[in-house]
Amino acid sequence: MTEVDSDASGDASGNTVSASATGAIVFDRSKNATGDSAGAVTSTTSWTPPACYYAPKYTPEELEAQMRQVWESSAPSHEWALDTQNYFVNGDPYKDFNKDKEGEGYWWDSYVTEGREGDPAAQDCDERTFWVDEGDAPPANVPQAITPEMLAQLAYAEIRVPSTKVDLAPEGTTKVNLPTWAWLDTAKFKPVSVTARVDLLGIEATTTAEPVALKITPGTDDAVTYPASGTCQMNADDSIGKPYAKGKADQTPPCGVKYLRSSGDGSYKLQATVTWKIHWTGTGVNGEQDLPDGTFGAEQDVVVQEIQAVNR
């Protein structure tokens, strides 16, 4: 699915003005995971994608329509109206909305990343609308101006990965002190990716997520995991863990859990979390560039019963 990231629509007679330069970023999500169980990854660090950014938004005629609509309303103060008229019309620093440069560039303005509207970081993009000639770089003092790297970061926020349900043996119901084997066929977890591009600037970036590890959290402190860290690394064949097979009952699973106490009349919520290695490629970049790993997990019920002894 390809969608445009835009926060302006309609026409000059509505609340906002349509603009051929709006919808600066186009996202191609066709290689994402789908379905109700798919979800966004969470960075394993404190890093987050940008909450706001600058990109082309208006042509000269579009900005004029937008500003004249605002000036004619009762919203702005007299001082603000004079200030912005000087800025865009009277030559301090722009004259007549740069209409003499129609087709030679765009007015850039801020966008807020979808879902980050209430984030204080979204207020960091507080520069006044500015002009950039076609082919020129945006002003160096605007760190949030869109770049291929920033596109990759914004695409990170659009990544959706499949839910994680591991295979267990015994499945569903196990016994106290009996090792439960866990494994994941990563063939079911193919890499996913999102491409973000700005056609007006001829730049793009593709962010890709690949599964690399599985962490088992038993859902109770009365358990031990295999390995002790609970994190099972990917095997050479791209699987994680090993399936249980007949004759392995006395072996320690390479990935799994052993419960030390019954779950009683209920069940434990085992959580399986996959770590996804995330990297990107894009315009003007040689080779893959790393982004912080992401994680996504899901819970599944495990019933643990006492082993019943029979006395004769």
Side-chain angles (χ1 to χ4, degrees):
M1 178 172 61
T2 301
E3 295 182 358
V4 176
D5 184 27
S6 171
D7 59 6
S9 60
D11 55 37
S13 62
N15 293 327
T16 56
V17 60
S18 65
S20 60
T22 57
I25 298 180
V26 178
F27 290 101
D28 182 352
R29 304 179 179 90
S30 61
K31 295 182 180 179
N32 249 344
T34 58
D36 294 339
S37 61
V41 293
T42 300
S43 171
T44 56
T45 71
S46 60
W47 175 88
T48 58
C52 65
Y53 55 93
Y54 290 96
K57 184 174 283 190
Y58 303 112
T59 65
E61 287 188 358
E62 292 158 354
L63 182 60
E64 180 183 24
Q66 171 83 349
M67 293 307 301
R68 293 200 182 283
Q69 179 180 334
V70 176
W71 290 333
E72 292 168 4
S73 73
S74 58
S77 68
H78 179 68
E79 292 78 8
W80 183 88
L82 285 177
D83 180 53
T84 52
Q85 287 168 12
N86 284 332
Y87 182 81
F88 291 115
V89 181
N90 299 330
D92 187 17
Y94 303 108
K95 188 174 182 179
D96 197 21
F97 296 99
N98 272 7
K99 283 192 287 186
D100 63 330
K101 290 191 171 185
E102 184 76 39
E104 299 176 11
Y106 293 98
W107 289 99
W108 288 43
D109 205 352
S110 62
Y111 292 78
V112 175
T113 304
E114 185 176 357
R116 305 286 293 279
E117 292 81 4
D119 191 327
Q123 305 302 315
D124 291 345
C125 295
D126 56 3
E127 296 285 340
R128 183 175 285 186
T129 306
F130 55 89
W131 177 266
V132 179
D133 285 333
E134 188 173 345
D136 284 358
N141 64 341
V142 184
Q144 302 94 342
I146 201 70
T147 62
E149 181 176 8
M150 190 173 291
L151 284 175
Q153 295 171 355
L154 292 167
Y156 186 113
E158 301 298 319
I159 289 284
R160 297 296 180 268
V161 297
S163 182
T164 309
K165 184 175 181 181
V166 296
D167 294 305
L168 299 173
E171 182 180 4
T173 300
T174 187
K175 304 294 185 182
V176 172
N177 291 323
L178 177 67
T180 298
W181 292 59
W183 66 96
L184 186 67
D185 180 1
T186 54
K188 302 176 183 176
F189 287 78
K190 297 183 182 300
V192 298
S193 65
V194 171
T195 297
R197 68 179 191 270
V198 180
D199 292 333
L200 291 174
L201 302 178
I203 60 173
E204 69 174 27
T206 298
T207 299
T208 301
E210 301 177 85
V212 293
L214 168 69
K215 184 174 179 61
I216 299 293
T217 305
T220 174
D221 291 336
D222 292 316
V224 295
T225 56
Y226 307 103
S229 65
T231 299
C232 310
Q233 300 297 328
M234 183 175 290
N235 301 316
D237 62 357
D238 291 341
S239 64
I240 298 177
K242 291 292 183 183
Y244 175 78
K246 187 175 181 180
K248 292 184 177 181
D250 294 332
Q251 298 180 23
T252 298
C255 182
V257 60
K258 179 171 69 176
Y259 289 96
L260 307 179
R261 188 183 299 273
S262 166
S263 59
D265 294 331
S267 61
Y268 293 124
K269 298 288 186 182
L270 180 145
Q271 184 167 26
T273 302
V274 171
T275 296
W276 296 79
K277 179 177 176 57
I278 301 181
H279 54 83
W280 69 278
T281 59
T283 304
V285 175
N286 294 322
E288 295 178 352
Q289 308 295 311
D290 289 337
L291 285 168
D293 289 349
T295 61
F296 184 66
E299 291 182 341
Q300 53 198 94
D301 292 324
V302 177
V303 176
V304 182
Q305 299 174 340
E306 294 283 358
I307 297 177
Q308 300 297 318
V310 178
N311 295 320
R312 295 185 181 273

